[in-house]
Amino acid sequence: MAEKVCEGGLELAETPDKSDCIVISTCTVIETTERKMLKRISELAGLRKPIIVSGCMAEIQRDKVLSVAPQAIFLPIGRIERINEFLARLGMRGSDSPLPPSPSLRNVDIAIPIAQGCLGGCTYCITRLARGELRSRPVEDVREDVRRAVDRGYKEIRVCAQDTAAFGIDGGSSLPELVGVLAQLPGDFRIRVGMMNPSTLVRIKNDLHGAFAHERVFRFLHLPVQSGSDRVLALMRRGYTSGIFEDLVGEFRRAHPDITLSTDIIVGFPGEAENDFQMSYDLIRRIEPDSLNITRFSAREGTSASELDGKVEGRKVKKRSRILTKLRSEIGKRKNERIVGSSQPVLLTETVKKGSTVGRTMNYKPVVFREELPLGTFVEARITGAEDAYLWGELL
Ligand code: SF4
């Protein structure tokens, strides 16, 4: 949307109070996110400016949004490309020529959606209700978006969807085909492939090994398992077993030994007994993911999991989350320490704190440099230290 606004000759304001109109893209995946979103929308509503709300809350929780921001206008997800028409209706028309975003808002990474919706039917998922059936974009359209982004200087292209592995199933194409096409584009950039559901990855795994071998593709696999217990996976209706997940991880690691694996676990799913949790713990200890997102189960309105019996007590859920967090730190630190002393090419992508810069190795490990360096450049770095979630580096 930010790109479209600049293309339309409108200026992105640096802060909400300097703007003529506020645009907020929302998420409601778990209850805490929903609460944060409503708090933020309510604060922004206090500025008494028009507010355009997009994202999942604009699809399924309009009443909640209107209760904190009665002036909100909703921009459906399928129409975000037409943001400028919405702004024009509010009296905001841009100059005839596109404007570049101001340097302080300029990122070198950009998310390019390749599909909306998914083929899943996960019982806990509210995103499915908001995004609906899988609708993949044509390969040519995505290619054109990426070409434009690379021309504009973006270096990290994040190919994203609710389930990137499902891309193209509805239209006779596939994720490996898309990644192959994007990797052929001219320019100096890297592609990061987003989250994949194990059940859809199974179909395309062999072709995707080949696509991941391209030097422009980060060797990074985000494969949420959600539970190590097949009984709980069936209750979640995830469509695979923990064995299928482990086999996938093994195959990708054999094809790309240094691939970074990120996975997700939900703790406290209704009916999750102590031994189910133990299976999740054992799975994580066995596969040693490089990063692990731990989410406490949150009953979302309208989902069938919200009506399941066997609610797990809050204190047990917290305890399980703490146990996994500890395991995550131990694994992260141990794995990152193995890399200390090596030299790695790194793409500099972010300034998180003043006086430092964050970059990504070619297997997408974050490296922090204790100096300000030009974003978007490729450097050679020596890895000098390791924390559980990132590495320290120095320029060579
Ligand atoms: S694959 Fe499952 S968790 Fe992911 S968006 Fe679809 S229904 Fe939700």
Side-chain angles (χ1 to χ4, degrees):
M1 282 195 281
E3 279 288 311
K4 288 280 165 206
V5 166
C6 296
E7 264 173 37
L10 286 154
E11 203 178 329
L12 292 179
E14 306 244 342
T15 53
D17 57 309
K18 289 185 192 155
S19 70
D20 297 314
C21 172
I22 292 159
V23 182
I24 181 159
S25 184
T26 57
C27 173
T28 185
V29 66
I30 53 172
E31 203 186 333
T32 43
T33 319
E34 178 191 309
R35 259 190 268 124
K36 280 185 201 162
M37 284 284 155
L38 289 173
K39 184 165 174 274
R40 183 70 182 134
I41 296 169
S42 158
E43 283 163 8
L44 293 170
L47 296 175
R48 312 240 165 264
K49 298 175 189 241
I51 299 186
I52 296 179
V53 179
S54 188
C56 285
M57 294 187 88
E59 302 295 314
I60 47 169
Q61 291 178 321
R62 291 188 176 192
D63 289 353
K64 286 191 177 175
V65 173
L66 288 170
S67 72
V68 295
Q71 76 269 48
I73 297 163
F74 297 100
L75 172 58
I77 291 166
R79 284 199 246 157
I80 59 171
E81 301 246 316
R82 291 161 64 185
I83 173 79
N84 290 337
E85 286 172 36
F86 275 66
L87 292 169
R89 265 188 251 154
L90 293 168
M92 276 156 271
R93 282 172 209 285
S95 60
D96 289 339
S97 44
L99 289 176
S102 72
S104 64
L105 295 169
R106 194 85 175 95
N107 298 328
V108 297
D109 61 306
I110 185 169
I112 308 256
I114 59 172
Q116 287 293 339
C118 70
L119 293 171
C122 306
T123 53
Y124 55 82
C125 181
I126 192 171
T127 308
R128 176 81 172 80
L129 306 179
R131 305 277 171 146
E133 292 283 320
L134 176 70
R135 293 169 320 280
S136 304
R137 297 178 62 204
V139 171
E140 262 318 298
D141 288 10
V142 178
R143 183 183 181 278
E144 186 49 26
D145 274 4
V146 174
R147 190 196 60 72
R148 267 211 313 261
V150 172
D151 276 0
R152 283 171 180 242
Y154 287 99
K155 301 287 181 186
E156 180 186 330
I157 308 293
R158 298 181 181 191
V159 161
C160 64
Q162 277 72 63
D163 173 13
T164 57
F167 174 81
I169 296 179
D170 52 334
S173 117
S174 70
L175 181 67
E177 180 197 337
L178 177 72
V179 174
V181 166
L182 301 181
Q184 297 305 323
L185 283 166
D188 213 3
F189 65 96
R190 293 290 178 273
I191 299 164
R192 194 200 77 159
V193 176
M195 184 163 64
M196 289 182 249
N197 188 322
S199 66
T200 42
L201 176 58
V202 169
R203 284 173 45 257
I204 54 162
K205 59 182 182 179
N206 293 334
D207 293 337
L208 202 60
H209 291 156
F212 269 40
H214 199 286
E215 59 173 14
R216 289 222 173 102
V217 182
F218 282 119
R219 292 182 299 283
F220 171 76
L221 187 66
H222 182 187
L223 200 60
V225 64
Q226 307 299 17
S227 174
S229 156
D230 290 343
R231 195 182 69 80
V232 173
L233 286 174
L235 286 173
M236 291 176 172
R237 249 190 259 141
R238 289 287 289 170
Y240 55 85
T241 60
S242 57
I244 290 176
F245 168 80
E246 272 194 87
D247 287 348
L248 281 168
V249 170
E251 287 170 45
F252 271 85
R253 281 182 169 160
R254 275 191 294 282
H256 308 282
D258 69 342
I259 199 164
T260 288
L261 171 71
S262 174
T263 192
D264 305 5
I265 290 274
I266 296 173
V267 287
F269 190 82
E272 183 189 71
E274 229 19 87
N275 68 324
D276 294 309
F277 171 69
Q278 188 62 42
M279 285 184 217
S280 293
Y281 183 89
D282 292 342
L283 175 72
I284 295 303
R285 207 177 43 188
R286 268 197 313 279
I287 61 157
E288 298 199 313
D290 299 87
S291 92
L292 173 65
N293 306 303
I294 305 156
T295 308
R296 296 180 200 168
F297 172 75
S298 166
R300 308 302 289 125
E301 58 188 319
T303 63
S304 56
S306 68
E307 287 162 17
L308 283 177
D309 293 334
K311 189 172 182 307
V312 183
E313 246 181 282
R315 68 178 175 81
K316 276 194 191 161
V317 179
K318 272 192 197 153
K319 187 174 163 214
R320 290 175 190 176
S321 171
R322 267 200 311 274
I323 291 171
L324 274 185
T325 304
K326 185 163 174 282
L327 179 64
R328 170 176 70 187
S329 297
E330 287 163 10
I331 294 172
K333 181 97 174 146
R334 189 165 61 237
K335 290 190 82 175
N336 283 344
E337 273 171 354
R338 288 183 206 146
I339 310 168
V340 175
S342 66
S343 303
Q344 308 257 349
V346 172
L347 169 61
L348 303 172
T349 51
E350 280 175 275
T351 310
V352 178
K353 262 196 213 155
K354 211 171 158 37
S356 71
T357 309
V358 180
R360 294 281 177 170
T361 62
M362 295 307 113
N363 58 348
Y364 211 64
K365 290 254 180 196
V367 183
V368 182
F369 297 84
R370 288 185 179 93
E371 58 185 313
E372 280 184 32
L373 298 165
L375 298 187
T377 50
F378 290 86
V379 296
E380 267 306 301
R382 185 189 320 283
I383 305 303
T384 54
E387 305 294 338
D388 53 0
Y390 60 91
L391 302 160
W392 290 103
E394 275 174 13
L395 291 189
L396 272 175

